[in-house]
Amino acid sequence: HVQLVESGGGLVQPGGSLRLSCVGSGFKDDRYCLAWFRQTPGQEREGIAAIDNDGTTSYADSVKGRFTVSQDHAKNTLYLQMNGLKPEDTAMYYCAAKLWYGGTCNTDKYEYVSWGQGTQVTVS
């Protein structure tokens, strides 16, 4: 099965940047949607960005224009470049994967079956 491991979180000042990475293993020849989610204590897990096998991306309004999702198939790695960070971006960030059958990849957390352990991002 697919396993995902995030890294790159940390403490950053408002207006700063971070790049999160998510290394995957166990992918077969299937095609996948990969996505980033975030969650703060007591809140629902929020989908913020997704990318399909062909590189088509989608973003939540809260991060559009500031965050960029990308992938390197050769390295089995998903990235999230975060610029212009705000205190409200503070959260645990998770990557996730699901099989892709075409169409735009959404960020419905109930559809994603493989999850990483999370990496903490603190903007202060």
mmCIF file with all atom_site columns, all heavy atoms in Angstrom, residues 39-54:
data_model
loop_
_atom_site.group_PDB
_atom_site.id
_atom_site.type_symbol
_atom_site.label_atom_id
_atom_site.label_alt_id
_atom_site.label_comp_id
_atom_site.label_asym_id
_atom_site.label_entity_id
_atom_site.label_seq_id
_atom_site.pdbx_PDB_ins_code
_atom_site.Cartn_x
_atom_site.Cartn_y
_atom_site.Cartn_z
_atom_site.occupancy
_atom_site.B_iso_or_equiv
_atom_site.pdbx_formal_charge
_atom_site.auth_seq_id
_atom_site.auth_comp_id
_atom_site.auth_asym_id
_atom_site.auth_atom_id
_atom_site.pdbx_PDB_model_num
ATOM 1   N N   . GLN A 1 39 ? -4.680  21.005 9.482   1.00 0.00 ? 39 GLN A N   1
ATOM 2   C CA  . GLN A 1 39 ? -5.636  20.899 10.587  1.00 0.00 ? 39 GLN A CA  1
ATOM 3   C C   . GLN A 1 39 ? -5.072  21.566 11.823  1.00 0.00 ? 39 GLN A C   1
ATOM 4   O O   . GLN A 1 39 ? -3.896  21.395 12.152  1.00 0.00 ? 39 GLN A O   1
ATOM 5   C CB  . GLN A 1 39 ? -5.946  19.424 10.872  1.00 0.00 ? 39 GLN A CB  1
ATOM 6   C CG  . GLN A 1 39 ? -7.065  19.201 11.870  1.00 0.00 ? 39 GLN A CG  1
ATOM 7   C CD  . GLN A 1 39 ? -7.444  17.736 11.966  1.00 0.00 ? 39 GLN A CD  1
ATOM 8   O OE1 . GLN A 1 39 ? -6.668  16.833 11.628  1.00 0.00 ? 39 GLN A OE1 1
ATOM 9   N NE2 . GLN A 1 39 ? -8.658  17.473 12.409  1.00 0.00 ? 39 GLN A NE2 1
ATOM 10  N N   . THR A 1 40 ? -5.930  22.321 12.497  1.00 0.00 ? 40 THR A N   1
ATOM 11  C CA  . THR A 1 40 ? -5.601  22.898 13.796  1.00 0.00 ? 40 THR A CA  1
ATOM 12  C C   . THR A 1 40 ? -6.460  22.211 14.845  1.00 0.00 ? 40 THR A C   1
ATOM 13  O O   . THR A 1 40 ? -7.534  21.675 14.518  1.00 0.00 ? 40 THR A O   1
ATOM 14  C CB  . THR A 1 40 ? -5.834  24.409 13.821  1.00 0.00 ? 40 THR A CB  1
ATOM 15  O OG1 . THR A 1 40 ? -7.190  24.664 13.425  1.00 0.00 ? 40 THR A OG1 1
ATOM 16  C CG2 . THR A 1 40 ? -4.896  25.124 12.859  1.00 0.00 ? 40 THR A CG2 1
ATOM 17  N N   . PRO A 1 41 ? -6.026  22.208 16.099  1.00 0.00 ? 41 PRO A N   1
ATOM 18  C CA  . PRO A 1 41 ? -6.777  21.511 17.145  1.00 0.00 ? 41 PRO A CA  1
ATOM 19  C C   . PRO A 1 41 ? -8.224  21.974 17.226  1.00 0.00 ? 41 PRO A C   1
ATOM 20  O O   . PRO A 1 41 ? -8.505  23.180 17.211  1.00 0.00 ? 41 PRO A O   1
ATOM 21  C CB  . PRO A 1 41 ? -6.013  21.873 18.422  1.00 0.00 ? 41 PRO A CB  1
ATOM 22  C CG  . PRO A 1 41 ? -4.621  22.117 17.953  1.00 0.00 ? 41 PRO A CG  1
ATOM 23  C CD  . PRO A 1 41 ? -4.763  22.753 16.604  1.00 0.00 ? 41 PRO A CD  1
ATOM 24  N N   . GLY A 1 42 ? -9.130  21.019 17.242  1.00 0.00 ? 42 GLY A N   1
ATOM 25  C CA  . GLY A 1 42 ? -10.535 21.326 17.367  1.00 0.00 ? 42 GLY A CA  1
ATOM 26  C C   . GLY A 1 42 ? -11.225 21.708 16.070  1.00 0.00 ? 42 GLY A C   1
ATOM 27  O O   . GLY A 1 42 ? -12.430 21.993 16.069  1.00 0.00 ? 42 GLY A O   1
ATOM 28  N N   . GLN A 1 43 ? -10.466 21.733 14.983  1.00 0.00 ? 43 GLN A N   1
ATOM 29  C CA  . GLN A 1 43 ? -11.031 22.124 13.691  1.00 0.00 ? 43 GLN A CA  1
ATOM 30  C C   . GLN A 1 43 ? -11.045 20.941 12.725  1.00 0.00 ? 43 GLN A C   1
ATOM 31  O O   . GLN A 1 43 ? -10.306 19.967 12.890  1.00 0.00 ? 43 GLN A O   1
ATOM 32  C CB  . GLN A 1 43 ? -10.222 23.263 13.078  1.00 0.00 ? 43 GLN A CB  1
ATOM 33  C CG  . GLN A 1 43 ? -10.166 24.525 13.911  1.00 0.00 ? 43 GLN A CG  1
ATOM 34  C CD  . GLN A 1 43 ? -11.525 25.155 14.099  1.00 0.00 ? 43 GLN A CD  1
ATOM 35  O OE1 . GLN A 1 43 ? -12.304 25.281 13.148  1.00 0.00 ? 43 GLN A OE1 1
ATOM 36  N NE2 . GLN A 1 43 ? -11.841 25.548 15.323  1.00 0.00 ? 43 GLN A NE2 1
ATOM 37  N N   . GLU A 1 44 ? -11.908 21.051 11.717  1.00 0.00 ? 44 GLU A N   1
ATOM 38  C CA  . GLU A 1 44 ? -11.947 20.043 10.670  1.00 0.00 ? 44 GLU A CA  1
ATOM 39  C C   . GLU A 1 44 ? -10.661 20.107 9.831   1.00 0.00 ? 44 GLU A C   1
ATOM 40  O O   . GLU A 1 44 ? -10.068 21.168 9.669   1.00 0.00 ? 44 GLU A O   1
ATOM 41  C CB  . GLU A 1 44 ? -13.145 20.292 9.747   1.00 0.00 ? 44 GLU A CB  1
ATOM 42  C CG  . GLU A 1 44 ? -14.503 20.050 10.385  1.00 0.00 ? 44 GLU A CG  1
ATOM 43  C CD  . GLU A 1 44 ? -14.822 18.573 10.487  1.00 0.00 ? 44 GLU A CD  1
ATOM 44  O OE1 . GLU A 1 44 ? -14.370 17.805 9.624   1.00 0.00 ? 44 GLU A OE1 1
ATOM 45  O OE2 . GLU A 1 44 ? -15.515 18.191 11.447  1.00 0.00 ? 44 GLU A OE2 1
ATOM 46  N N   . ARG A 1 45 ? -10.268 18.940 9.299   1.00 0.00 ? 45 ARG A N   1
ATOM 47  C CA  . ARG A 1 45 ? -9.132  18.917 8.393   1.00 0.00 ? 45 ARG A CA  1
ATOM 48  C C   . ARG A 1 45 ? -9.538  19.594 7.089   1.00 0.00 ? 45 ARG A C   1
ATOM 49  O O   . ARG A 1 45 ? -10.554 19.249 6.483   1.00 0.00 ? 45 ARG A O   1
ATOM 50  C CB  . ARG A 1 45 ? -8.680  17.478 8.145   1.00 0.00 ? 45 ARG A CB  1
ATOM 51  C CG  . ARG A 1 45 ? -7.359  17.358 7.417   1.00 0.00 ? 45 ARG A CG  1
ATOM 52  C CD  . ARG A 1 45 ? -6.811  15.954 7.497   1.00 0.00 ? 45 ARG A CD  1
ATOM 53  N NE  . ARG A 1 45 ? -6.442  15.602 8.881   1.00 0.00 ? 45 ARG A NE  1
ATOM 54  C CZ  . ARG A 1 45 ? -5.771  14.501 9.196   1.00 0.00 ? 45 ARG A CZ  1
ATOM 55  N NH1 . ARG A 1 45 ? -5.384  13.649 8.255   1.00 0.00 ? 45 ARG A NH1 1
ATOM 56  N NH2 . ARG A 1 45 ? -5.483  14.248 10.455  1.00 0.00 ? 45 ARG A NH2 1
ATOM 57  N N   . GLU A 1 46 ? -8.722  20.557 6.651   1.00 0.00 ? 46 GLU A N   1
ATOM 58  C CA  . GLU A 1 46 ? -9.044  21.389 5.490   1.00 0.00 ? 46 GLU A CA  1
ATOM 59  C C   . GLU A 1 46 ? -8.158  21.007 4.310   1.00 0.00 ? 46 GLU A C   1
ATOM 60  O O   . GLU A 1 46 ? -6.925  20.983 4.440   1.00 0.00 ? 46 GLU A O   1
ATOM 61  C CB  . GLU A 1 46 ? -8.810  22.871 5.851   1.00 0.00 ? 46 GLU A CB  1
ATOM 62  C CG  . GLU A 1 46 ? -8.958  23.827 4.694   1.00 0.00 ? 46 GLU A CG  1
ATOM 63  C CD  . GLU A 1 46 ? -8.428  25.223 4.993   1.00 0.00 ? 46 GLU A CD  1
ATOM 64  O OE1 . GLU A 1 46 ? -7.646  25.383 5.964   1.00 0.00 ? 46 GLU A OE1 1
ATOM 65  O OE2 . GLU A 1 46 ? -8.777  26.164 4.261   1.00 0.00 ? 46 GLU A OE2 1
ATOM 66  N N   . GLY A 1 47 ? -8.757  20.737 3.176   1.00 0.00 ? 47 GLY A N   1
ATOM 67  C CA  . GLY A 1 47 ? -7.987  20.498 1.965   1.00 0.00 ? 47 GLY A CA  1
ATOM 68  C C   . GLY A 1 47 ? -7.567  21.815 1.355   1.00 0.00 ? 47 GLY A C   1
ATOM 69  O O   . GLY A 1 47 ? -8.393  22.726 1.199   1.00 0.00 ? 47 GLY A O   1
ATOM 70  N N   . ILE A 1 48 ? -6.287  21.942 1.004   1.00 0.00 ? 48 ILE A N   1
ATOM 71  C CA  . ILE A 1 48 ? -5.818  23.228 0.503   1.00 0.00 ? 48 ILE A CA  1
ATOM 72  C C   . ILE A 1 48 ? -5.251  23.161 -0.907  1.00 0.00 ? 48 ILE A C   1
ATOM 73  O O   . ILE A 1 48 ? -5.227  24.180 -1.608  1.00 0.00 ? 48 ILE A O   1
ATOM 74  C CB  . ILE A 1 48 ? -4.779  23.856 1.448   1.00 0.00 ? 48 ILE A CB  1
ATOM 75  C CG1 . ILE A 1 48 ? -3.594  22.916 1.682   1.00 0.00 ? 48 ILE A CG1 1
ATOM 76  C CG2 . ILE A 1 48 ? -5.434  24.269 2.758   1.00 0.00 ? 48 ILE A CG2 1
ATOM 77  C CD1 . ILE A 1 48 ? -2.471  23.551 2.478   1.00 0.00 ? 48 ILE A CD1 1
ATOM 78  N N   . ALA A 1 49 ? -4.777  22.015 -1.366  1.00 0.00 ? 49 ALA A N   1
ATOM 79  C CA  . ALA A 1 49 ? -4.204  21.935 -2.709  1.00 0.00 ? 49 ALA A CA  1
ATOM 80  C C   . ALA A 1 49 ? -4.196  20.492 -3.168  1.00 0.00 ? 49 ALA A C   1
ATOM 81  O O   . ALA A 1 49 ? -4.015  19.583 -2.352  1.00 0.00 ? 49 ALA A O   1
ATOM 82  C CB  . ALA A 1 49 ? -2.791  22.503 -2.724  1.00 0.00 ? 49 ALA A CB  1
ATOM 83  N N   . ALA A 1 50 ? -4.373  20.308 -4.475  1.00 0.00 ? 50 ALA A N   1
ATOM 84  C CA  . ALA A 1 50 ? -4.350  18.967 -5.038  1.00 0.00 ? 50 ALA A CA  1
ATOM 85  C C   . ALA A 1 50 ? -3.719  19.010 -6.418  1.00 0.00 ? 50 ALA A C   1
ATOM 86  O O   . ALA A 1 50 ? -3.728  20.042 -7.096  1.00 0.00 ? 50 ALA A O   1
ATOM 87  C CB  . ALA A 1 50 ? -5.763  18.390 -5.123  1.00 0.00 ? 50 ALA A CB  1
ATOM 88  N N   . ILE A 1 51 ? -3.176  17.857 -6.829  1.00 0.00 ? 51 ILE A N   1
ATOM 89  C CA  . ILE A 1 51 ? -2.543  17.749 -8.136  1.00 0.00 ? 51 ILE A CA  1
ATOM 90  C C   . ILE A 1 51 ? -2.779  16.355 -8.682  1.00 0.00 ? 51 ILE A C   1
ATOM 91  O O   . ILE A 1 51 ? -2.746  15.370 -7.923  1.00 0.00 ? 51 ILE A O   1
ATOM 92  C CB  . ILE A 1 51 ? -1.031  18.077 -8.024  1.00 0.00 ? 51 ILE A CB  1
ATOM 93  C CG1 . ILE A 1 51 ? -0.374  18.146 -9.397  1.00 0.00 ? 51 ILE A CG1 1
ATOM 94  C CG2 . ILE A 1 51 ? -0.314  17.091 -7.115  1.00 0.00 ? 51 ILE A CG2 1
ATOM 95  C CD1 . ILE A 1 51 ? 1.029   18.763 -9.363  1.00 0.00 ? 51 ILE A CD1 1
ATOM 96  N N   . ASP A 1 52 ? -3.038  16.268 -9.987  1.00 0.00 ? 52 ASP A N   1
ATOM 97  C CA  . ASP A 1 52 ? -3.234  14.946 -10.563 1.00 0.00 ? 52 ASP A CA  1
ATOM 98  C C   . ASP A 1 52 ? -1.951  14.473 -11.250 1.00 0.00 ? 52 ASP A C   1
ATOM 99  O O   . ASP A 1 52 ? -0.953  15.187 -11.283 1.00 0.00 ? 52 ASP A O   1
ATOM 100 C CB  . ASP A 1 52 ? -4.431  14.929 -11.524 1.00 0.00 ? 52 ASP A CB  1
ATOM 101 C CG  . ASP A 1 52 ? -4.234  15.804 -12.757 1.00 0.00 ? 52 ASP A CG  1
ATOM 102 O OD1 . ASP A 1 52 ? -3.087  15.976 -13.216 1.00 0.00 ? 52 ASP A OD1 1
ATOM 103 O OD2 . ASP A 1 52 ? -5.249  16.309 -13.280 1.00 0.00 ? 52 ASP A OD2 1
ATOM 104 N N   . ASN A 1 53 ? -1.994  13.260 -11.786 1.00 0.00 ? 53 ASN A N   1
ATOM 105 C CA  . ASN A 1 53 ? -0.800  12.676 -12.394 1.00 0.00 ? 53 ASN A CA  1
ATOM 106 C C   . ASN A 1 53 ? -0.236  13.533 -13.525 1.00 0.00 ? 53 ASN A C   1
ATOM 107 O O   . ASN A 1 53 ? 0.964   13.530 -13.789 1.00 0.00 ? 53 ASN A O   1
ATOM 108 C CB  . ASN A 1 53 ? -1.116  11.284 -12.939 1.00 0.00 ? 53 ASN A CB  1
ATOM 109 C CG  . ASN A 1 53 ? -0.465  10.184 -12.141 1.00 0.00 ? 53 ASN A CG  1
ATOM 110 O OD1 . ASN A 1 53 ? -0.969  9.778  -11.120 1.00 0.00 ? 53 ASN A OD1 1
ATOM 111 N ND2 . ASN A 1 53 ? 0.679   9.734  -12.605 1.00 0.00 ? 53 ASN A ND2 1
ATOM 112 N N   . ASP A 1 54 ? -1.115  14.254 -14.216 1.00 0.00 ? 54 ASP A N   1
ATOM 113 C CA  . ASP A 1 54 ? -0.688  15.072 -15.350 1.00 0.00 ? 54 ASP A CA  1
ATOM 114 C C   . ASP A 1 54 ? -0.242  16.462 -14.945 1.00 0.00 ? 54 ASP A C   1
ATOM 115 O O   . ASP A 1 54 ? 0.180   17.245 -15.801 1.00 0.00 ? 54 ASP A O   1
ATOM 116 C CB  . ASP A 1 54 ? -1.829  15.178 -16.366 1.00 0.00 ? 54 ASP A CB  1
ATOM 117 C CG  . ASP A 1 54 ? -2.171  13.833 -16.971 1.00 0.00 ? 54 ASP A CG  1
ATOM 118 O OD1 . ASP A 1 54 ? -1.291  12.943 -16.988 1.00 0.00 ? 54 ASP A OD1 1
ATOM 119 O OD2 . ASP A 1 54 ? -3.318  13.667 -17.429 1.00 0.00 ? 54 ASP A OD2 1
#
